[in-house]
Amino acid sequence: MFNTVSGKKLAVWGVAYKKNTDDTRDSPAFDVCKALLNERAQLCIYDPRVSSEATALGLCLADGQETLVECVSDAYDAAAGAHAILVLTEWDEFARLDFFRIFSQMEKPAFVFDGRNMLDHAALRAIGFNVIGIGKPVTPSPTVAKKKIDAVSAVGSLSQLHSLGD
């Protein structure tokens, strides 16, 4: 995310403390959201059961922060134009979404931060997402890996050319 989330749209999927409930009491999702708001990220929040009123109440927005938060009624709407998706509640519907469609509507490079490790990370990487799962090693998407290989090859070729001049 180029060392900052300031001014970037982040899709937050899920604020309930667990799936199949609208209960947000002590939900760690709000701590994540508050930290991102303090960094001036723009949050677009979707939860299938939690109302926008309950979300606003849980966030306890400071002056000016209300302009940085939007609650929507669809995961696709939340992800459209976003730089990243943050999966903070393990709703089953998230695993069934059309990630090709989602990827095509996001800013690039597109990131998925899977805070519940519920998504198929290999499949998301194959689409082109940069995926980070909590507690999982960071593995670059095939596109990023190819760029690194190409860069290493180019550096190797330059080194060989340089040695010919000696």
Side-chain angles (χ1 to χ4, degrees):
M1 303 264 317
F2 307 110
N3 297 319
T4 185
V5 295
S6 179
K8 298 207 171 120
K9 179 182 177 184
L10 307 179
V12 175
W13 287 355
V15 291
Y17 84 95
K18 67 176 186 174
K19 69 179 181 175
N20 300 325
T21 184
D22 64 355
D23 193 346
T24 59
R25 288 175 293 167
D26 300 320
S27 174
F30 289 128
D31 295 327
V32 172
C33 289
K34 288 174 187 177
L36 292 168
L37 288 170
N38 285 337
E39 296 294 324
R40 306 294 295 161
Q42 297 174 341
L43 304 183
C44 193
I45 300 172
Y46 167 67
D47 189 291
R49 288 219 187 145
V50 178
S51 70
S52 57
E53 293 80 15
T55 299
L57 185 63
L59 287 173
C60 304
L61 298 174
D63 286 340
Q65 286 184 327
E66 60 276 347
T67 62
L68 298 174
V69 177
E70 177 184 11
C71 292
V72 296
S73 59
D74 180 83
Y76 294 106
D77 289 342
H83 293 84
I85 297 167
L86 291 77
V87 179
L88 301 182
T89 306
E90 67 276 11
W91 289 102
D92 294 336
E93 75 177 73
F94 297 158
R96 295 188 301 263
L97 294 170
D98 180 351
F99 282 93
F100 286 100
R101 173 182 166 191
I102 292 166
F103 183 78
S104 72
Q105 295 175 339
M106 290 181 66
E107 295 290 326
K108 307 302 182 291
F111 290 84
V112 173
F113 296 93
D114 187 356
R116 302 313 237 169
N117 288 315
M118 63 166 295
L119 302 176
D120 183 341
H121 295 184
L124 292 173
R125 286 187 185 100
I127 292 170
F129 284 101
N130 293 290
V131 182
I132 299 168
I134 300 299
K136 304 279 185 181
V138 176
T139 306
S141 70
T143 305
V144 171
K146 182 178 178 342
K147 286 180 183 176
K148 287 183 179 178
I149 290 169
D150 291 347
V152 169
S153 296
V155 169
S157 298
L158 290 173
S159 297
Q160 290 171 349
L161 285 174
H162 183 57
S163 66
L164 291 175
D166 293 340

